[in-house]
Amino acid sequence: MRSKTKFWQMLGRGTRLCPDLFGPGQDKQFFQVFDYCQNLEYFGQDPEATDVPVVASLGKRLFTTRLQLIGALDQRLDVSERGGIKEIALPYAMPANEVELRRDLAELLHRETAAMNLDNFVVRPRRRIVEQYAKAEAWKTLTPEARSQLAAEVAGLPSEMAAEGEEARRFDLLVLRLQLALLRAEPAFQRLREQVMEIAALLEEKAAIPMVREQMVLILALQTDDWWQDVTVAMLEALRRKLRELVRLIEKRQRKQIYTDFDDEMGDESEVALPGFTAGTDYAKFRAKAQAFLRAHQDHVAIHKLRMNRPLTVADLGELERMLAESGVGAVRDIERAASESHGLGLFVRSLLGMDREAAKQALAGFLAGKTLAANQIEFVNLIVNHLTEHGVLDAALLYESPFIDITPRGPEALFSSGEVDDLIAVLAAVRDTAVAA
């Protein structure tokens, strides 16, 4: 392999902990790697990353290809010809021209976008643009910038439209690409046309099936050059709608089975140094030891300040670092790693100890002053206090995740005004700043 991501994922399987693996108190301490393809040797050289990009889903490719087809049609049509979207969709009504095809494409993408569940955690970050294009009017005119934005942010999001068979959707994609190639006069048109003709030939073999026999005139015509003379995108759309439910009847060709019989040769073990690799169990033990040590010394001035949400000084941070180093709970590299990953040693210590509950309430006192809260607002604030008590800080982004959105899917904006949300975020930032030395 050449993907660092996949390589480390595979090694990660071995690093999983397993208490009492060999008996009570005899935990898993090591794992073995059987490397037949010299992956360790390759990645031991710390090569440049060559991760393979993730292939877009079929649904995303259909959405983006339809957007491209709308763009190609818009270049050929006047704004006045594009018109609006039909209020009633007629999925099997054949478009008579490019104007009607453009309207049908826009209507289909509009329905798919409108069926996206805004409470879905995948859709929620794109809520604004999904709500915008859930309105039919937004699809009447699509600028190149709008199409690019839809392809980047909306294509591929889960939709609650009725599921269709994969064979039919793959045939849709084939014909959509054929339509695009026709409009753009691309060389790929010939190759795509031959694929459609091959499918028609395979369908001809299913003439005994009534639903295939109904379309036999079209199926036979597709296999002739005459049908493809002066073909239009509307004609291609008609064939797509007539044949898309028939392609599933084509039998998948069976592949010949190949049997292999290899003898493995086991070589000697060898030690390989991997750049950046350290035992995760050591750092996990460091965190556990550091937490136990800090809890036993909560009366220390610097630790007390963190617990009570009082500002730290540079001297306080130096004292915390000295305490952890002299306690023997971990090596200097562990302390440096903790400070780096937590964006400060003070934030690391507070994440292990949390905040005093009364201090957390006091931090929100200014925000709550003069307000009469409803029941759901009180519950939301209590969740904030609980989180601060347990974790010491709260990133504002977490307000839009569970358990906060269990009260309201829209987050704090559904409970407080825009100005109040800004004040709340400022309070959380102030709490975080007290753990960072001025």
Side-chain angles (χ1 to χ4, degrees), residues 5 91 102 159 186 201 210 248 253 269 276 281 285 347 386 405:
T5 301
R102 198 272 181 199
S159 178
E186 294 177 343
R248 60 183 174 84
R253 294 172 179 172
E269 292 182 358
T281 53
K285 290 178 180 177
L347 291 170
N386 293 341
I405 59 171

Side-chain angles (χ1 to χ4, degrees), residues 323-342:
M323 286 177 60
L324 288 172
E326 293 181 356
S327 68
V329 298
V332 174
R333 69 173 182 274
D334 294 323
I335 299 173
E336 292 175 349
R337 176 181 173 182
S340 175
E341 292 184 356
S342 301

Side-chain angles (χ1 to χ4, degrees), residues 283 286-291 294 306 317 320 324 329 334-354 391 393 435-436:
Y283 184 69
F286 161 71
R287 284 183 58 91
K289 290 180 180 179
Q291 186 177 50
L294 293 168
L306 285 170
L317 280 181
L320 284 173
L324 288 172
V329 298
D334 294 323
I335 299 173
E336 292 175 349
R337 176 181 173 182
S340 175
E341 292 184 356
S342 301
H343 305 290
L345 187 60
L347 291 170
F348 169 72
V349 173
R350 182 181 277 175
S351 70
L352 295 180
L353 298 177
H391 301 286
V393 290
V436 181

Side-chain angles (χ1 to χ4, degrees), residues 12-19 21 27-29 280-282 284-285:
R13 303 300 187 268
T15 63
R16 290 175 178 170
L17 304 180
C18 187
L21 177 61
D27 302 339
K28 174 181 174 181
Q29 298 294 334
T281 53
D282 291 344
K285 290 178 180 177

Side-chain angles (χ1 to χ4, degrees), residues 36-202:
Y36 293 98
C37 301
Q38 297 181 303
N39 287 298
L40 289 168
E41 181 180 338
Y42 174 76
F43 288 102
Q45 302 301 317
D46 197 20
E48 292 293 328
T50 55
D51 290 350
V52 178
V54 178
V55 178
S57 66
L58 177 58
K60 183 173 184 177
R61 283 180 285 163
L62 282 167
F63 196 101
T64 54
T65 307
R66 287 186 171 114
L67 280 174
Q68 293 171 10
L69 186 53
I70 287 177
L73 289 169
D74 283 349
Q75 291 179 356
R76 295 163 60 91
L77 302 173
D78 294 330
V79 175
S80 60
E81 291 180 304
R82 297 174 196 169
I85 298 172
K86 302 173 184 177
E87 294 185 2
I88 301 177
L90 301 174
Y92 297 108
M94 305 306 165
N97 50 47
E98 294 179 358
V99 175
E100 292 187 7
L101 174 58
R102 198 272 181 199
R103 292 176 182 174
D104 288 353
L105 287 167
E107 195 277 338
L108 177 58
L109 294 183
H110 162 244
R111 285 191 292 119
E112 182 175 346
T113 305
M116 293 177 178
N117 186 348
L118 296 175
D119 292 332
N120 186 301
F121 77 97
V122 179
V123 179
R124 193 182 306 124
R126 302 287 185 265
R127 184 187 189 101
R128 182 190 61 80
I129 188 171
V130 171
E131 287 182 331
Q132 176 184 350
Y133 286 96
K135 302 174 182 177
E137 296 76 13
W139 294 90
K140 291 182 179 179
T141 302
L142 291 177
T143 63
E145 293 76 16
R147 294 196 302 272
S148 298
Q149 187 181 27
L150 283 165
E153 300 188 37
V154 178
L157 293 179
S159 178
E160 296 184 353
M161 286 181 65
E164 294 183 300
E166 182 178 347
E167 295 88 350
R169 298 172 75 213
R170 289 193 179 278
F171 185 72
D172 288 344
L173 185 60
L174 171 62
V175 178
L176 286 167
R177 287 174 173 170
L178 186 62
Q179 291 170 311
L180 264 179
L182 176 62
L183 290 176
R184 296 172 175 175
E186 294 177 343
F189 178 83
Q190 182 65 25
R191 173 177 55 83
L192 296 169
R193 186 190 78 159
E194 290 175 357
Q195 292 182 33
V196 173
M197 295 174 73
E198 182 180 352
I199 290 174
L202 293 173

Side-chain angles (χ1 to χ4, degrees), residues 148-278:
S148 298
Q149 187 181 27
L150 283 165
E153 300 188 37
V154 178
L157 293 179
S159 178
E160 296 184 353
M161 286 181 65
E164 294 183 300
E166 182 178 347
E167 295 88 350
R169 298 172 75 213
R170 289 193 179 278
F171 185 72
D172 288 344
L173 185 60
L174 171 62
V175 178
L176 286 167
R177 287 174 173 170
L178 186 62
Q179 291 170 311
L180 264 179
L182 176 62
L183 290 176
R184 296 172 175 175
E186 294 177 343
F189 178 83
Q190 182 65 25
R191 173 177 55 83
L192 296 169
R193 186 190 78 159
E194 290 175 357
Q195 292 182 33
V196 173
M197 295 174 73
E198 182 180 352
I199 290 174
L202 293 173
L203 284 174
E204 184 184 357
E205 298 175 3
K206 303 295 179 181
I209 302 176
M211 60 190 303
V212 176
R213 192 163 54 246
E214 290 178 3
Q215 303 298 336
M216 191 53 63
V217 174
L218 173 62
I219 291 171
L220 293 174
L222 285 174
Q223 301 177 62
T224 65
D225 291 333
D226 291 342
W227 191 90
W228 295 92
Q229 293 294 328
D230 301 322
V231 68
T232 66
V233 288
M235 291 171 60
L236 293 174
E237 180 66 12
L239 87 83
R240 182 190 72 83
R241 299 187 188 189
K242 290 179 179 180
L243 301 186
R244 65 187 306 273
E245 295 300 332
L246 304 182
V247 291
R248 60 183 174 84
L249 302 174
I250 299 174
E251 295 179 0
K252 295 181 175 61
R253 294 172 179 172
Q254 295 183 351
R255 295 181 180 179
K256 182 180 179 181
Q257 292 184 344
I258 299 176
Y259 297 92
T260 60
D261 184 11
F262 300 115
D263 290 329
D264 293 325
E265 294 183 5
M266 297 292 291
D268 297 329
E269 292 182 358
S270 60
E271 186 172 321
V272 178
L274 294 176
F277 181 78
T278 56

